[in-house]
């Protein structure tokens, strides 16, 4: 975990509770994850399918920073309730493991 802070946040409509109001007692976290540039596509997916699924399932707000020249990673920022952030982080890590597994498999068969 690179950074974690508690910060006020306006959640997107899909992350709001059913009654449309965020419980003021909920803690909102922001967690930043560096992701290798070559693995970002596996998180986003074709047409944004993977990132949309992660956002919907986790109910977290997820942003992927643009690449910075000379930096081998892009920063993924996850914000939401502690549970939403944990779920999103786990789903992103799962996508990264799938990406690494595919790379290793391709290298083994070549």
């Amino acid at each position: 975990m690179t950074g974690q802070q508690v910060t006020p946040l306006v959640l997107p409509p899909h992350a709001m509770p059913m009654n449309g109001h965020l419980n003021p007692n909920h803690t909102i976290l922001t967690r930043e994850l560096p992701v290798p540039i070559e693995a970002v596509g596996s998180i986003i997916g074709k047409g944004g399918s993977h990132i949309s699924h992660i956002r919907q399932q986790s109910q977290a707000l997820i942003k992927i920073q643009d690449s910075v020249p000379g930096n081998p990673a892009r920063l993924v920022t996850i914000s939401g309730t502690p549970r939403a952030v944990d779920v999103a982080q786990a789903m992103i890590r799962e996508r990264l493991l799938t990406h690494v597994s595919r790379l290793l498999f391709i290298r083994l068969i070549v």
Side-chain angles (χ1 to χ4, degrees):
M1 179 169 23
T2 325
Q4 183 171 316
Q5 60 186 8
V6 177
T7 181
L9 174 74
V10 177
L11 295 176
H14 72 272
M16 293 298 285
M18 293 301 284
N19 65 7
H21 300 285
L22 184 63
N23 182 336
N25 296 323
H26 282 155
T27 300
I28 303 300
L29 298 178
T30 297
R31 191 172 294 157
E32 297 175 333
L33 305 172
V35 174
I37 290 174
E38 64 274 4
V40 171
S42 67
I43 293 171
I44 296 172
K46 190 171 185 174
S49 61
H50 294 313
I51 195 70
S52 293
H53 177 75
I54 294 169
R55 285 175 175 143
Q56 183 179 26
Q57 293 298 310
S58 69
Q59 299 294 292
L61 177 65
I62 304 169
K63 295 181 181 183
I64 302 175
Q65 279 188 350
D66 292 335
S67 58
V68 176
N71 190 341
R74 289 174 65 180
L75 200 59
V76 176
T77 304
I78 309 168
S79 300
T81 63
R83 181 184 179 286
V85 171
D86 288 345
V87 169
Q89 182 175 358
M91 293 178 79
I92 289 169
R93 285 190 173 158
E94 183 178 325
R95 297 290 324 154
L96 291 173
L97 286 173
T98 300
H99 174 78
V100 169
S101 296
R102 285 185 183 146
L103 288 177
L104 291 174
F105 179 74
I106 289 170
R107 289 184 182 156
L108 287 174
I109 62 171
V110 173

